Amino acid sequence: MPTTSRRISLPFEWRQGEHLAITGETGSGKSTLAAVLLAARWPFYVVVKTKPDDVHYPGRKIGRASQLESATDRAILDLSESPKETQAARVAELTDSVWKQGGWTVYYDELFYLERLRLVDSVEQLLTQGRSKGLTVVVGMQRPARVTRFALSQATHVVSFGQEGRDAKILRDATSERMRAAVEALPRYHFAWYHRITREVWTGRVQDLAR
């Protein structure tokens, strides 16, 4: 689904330095939701896109971290258009640049793929220490059970489309029993949003965020 910038109203305030995790199976709508949230909430971000799809992130495509102009840019590093043997180096370079500059919002659309590229240590550094540098990290994942637990434990906002079994239990352990119950009962294309500060849970669809 192509995505354009739109005015939305979030169920909870999302401040710079607060990380956000999005979980959901392929086709659930997590990439579309991420694109909507990024475009509507942040005037600057960098997207690390690992797979081909028709989701549109407003911004310009870059091939290397050296093309980042500043933390007032909107940039997309599309790994699906680069050779596999160069992907790890490109993401590592970009993550290092974001860390050094500070102030960025960075979205990794599939955390498990980055773990396969052996980049989890650098992502964990952003998740655990990035707040001190004004960094906001957004991570997408299909199955919470297959990625670093820091993705959920360090997130102020945990957003999940339908999950069950072990993945729902991991969400419960990282959030609350109410969140687990919500994600196990969600209709298709609906998601539950857990706010760690207030411990509240909101459920709805992308369309429900429109003003």
Side-chain angles (χ1 to χ4, degrees), residues 66-81:
S66 58
Q67 294 176 278
L68 289 176
E69 294 179 353
S70 69
T72 58
D73 197 7
R74 282 182 167 183
I76 299 94
L77 179 67
D78 192 346
L79 296 186
S80 67
E81 298 181 355

Side-chain angles (χ1 to χ4, degrees), residues 63-205:
R64 304 191 67 87
S66 58
Q67 294 176 278
L68 289 176
E69 294 179 353
S70 69
T72 58
D73 197 7
R74 282 182 167 183
I76 299 94
L77 179 67
D78 192 346
L79 296 186
S80 67
E81 298 181 355
S82 63
K84 286 188 177 181
E85 59 268 20
T86 70
Q87 292 178 358
R90 291 189 180 195
V91 178
E93 179 188 36
L94 184 139
T95 300
D96 184 60
S97 180
V98 165
W99 170 259
K100 289 178 179 177
Q101 291 183 35
W104 280 99
T105 295
V106 56
Y107 170 48
Y108 299 100
D109 77 339
E110 186 49 67
L111 187 56
F112 180 68
Y113 188 79
L114 298 186
E115 295 208 2
R116 292 180 63 184
L117 294 177
R118 300 182 180 180
L119 296 170
V120 66
D121 288 347
S122 57
V123 176
E124 285 183 348
Q125 181 183 32
L126 297 190
L127 287 168
T128 58
Q129 303 176 43
R131 294 181 185 86
S132 64
K133 300 177 73 68
L135 291 168
T136 296
V137 183
V138 183
V139 289
M141 68 199 82
Q142 293 185 41
R143 299 194 57 193
R146 301 180 67 183
V147 298
T148 172
R149 299 297 173 87
F150 287 122
L152 295 179
S153 67
Q154 296 298 313
T156 302
H157 306 268
V158 178
V159 180
S160 181
F161 292 84
Q163 295 282 6
E164 57 186 17
R166 184 182 176 194
D167 294 296
K169 291 179 181 177
I170 287 175
L171 276 171
R172 177 201 63 194
D173 293 344
T175 57
S176 69
E177 175 60 29
R178 183 182 173 192
M179 181 66 168
R180 182 204 62 79
V183 300
E184 288 187 331
L186 287 171
R188 187 172 175 82
Y189 302 125
H190 287 64
F191 58 88
W193 187 317
Y194 174 79
H195 185 227
R196 191 173 304 280
I197 296 173
T198 63
R199 299 184 180 180
E200 295 181 3
V201 177
W202 179 91
T203 61
R205 304 166 301 164

